[in-house]
Amino acid sequence: DRPERDANNSAVDVDAYVLLDGMKRYIAFGYRLDDETATDAELDYAGSRLKFAYAQQINALQLKAQVSLENRDYRNVMESLGEARRDERLRAGISAAMPLSEHFSLNGEAQYADYASNLASASFDEMIYNVSLAASF
């Protein structure tokens, strides 16, 4: 519905895992570089994201904690700001997955997100909660 937001995006994403007890307990690190060119030049940006996760399986319960830090530097001056937009994003969360049977699991997640930007409408924080029933065959 907003053609000015149509964009081409390219990214390089690298992840590394340190297995402490196979996939039952591990640490993961990641880094991502983004480049996006939108129909509206004010929305073109380059960005990067650093992420960290720790996961542990206790009996059948899989627990995971993760945090990510992202920045976006917009390449062009936004008319409404009089300068280029800059965003910093922090996301932190915990999740749990519990198998109910061979094909079904119950998943839960709580995540905090803090978005800071020099564009007031893009600066906010939120808590996100999610509970889902997953099926795999």
Side-chain angles (χ1 to χ4, degrees):
D1 293 340
R2 297 184 58 199
E4 71 276 8
R5 302 257 344 153
D6 288 346
N8 291 322
N9 181 288
S10 60
V12 175
D13 200 345
V14 176
D15 294 312
Y17 292 82
V18 178
L19 303 178
L20 304 171
D21 185 15
M23 289 303 288
K24 290 184 177 185
R25 190 165 55 104
Y26 65 87
I27 297 171
F29 303 92
Y31 187 72
R32 178 184 174 111
L33 287 173
D34 278 307
D35 185 79
E36 186 161 296
T37 303
T39 301
D40 183 345
E42 285 186 354
L43 301 173
D44 295 350
Y45 71 87
S48 63
R49 180 174 53 204
L50 182 63
K51 53 190 173 180
F52 171 81
Y54 174 77
Q56 181 161 348
Q57 184 173 335
I58 301 172
N59 297 323
L61 183 64
Q62 180 69 41
L63 302 170
K64 187 174 186 180
Q66 52 196 6
V67 64
S68 70
L69 300 167
E70 179 181 0
N71 70 47
R72 291 182 178 181
D73 292 319
Y74 289 77
R75 287 191 280 272
N76 300 299
V77 172
M78 291 191 74
E79 190 176 316
S80 62
L81 279 176
E83 63 182 329
R85 179 177 162 187
R86 305 244 184 288
D87 294 351
E88 292 182 359
R89 299 173 173 197
L90 165 70
R91 294 178 75 100
I94 56 171
S95 62
M98 181 177 62
L100 300 175
S101 69
E102 181 182 356
H103 298 288
F104 292 95
S105 66
L106 181 63
N107 305 314
E109 180 177 18
Q111 189 173 92
Y112 172 73
D114 181 17
Y115 298 144
S117 177
N118 60 344
L119 178 64
S121 62
S123 194
F124 63 94
D125 66 329
E126 65 182 349
M127 283 296 299
I128 303 163
Y129 301 97
N130 181 27
V131 176
S132 61
L133 178 63
S136 61
F137 298 94

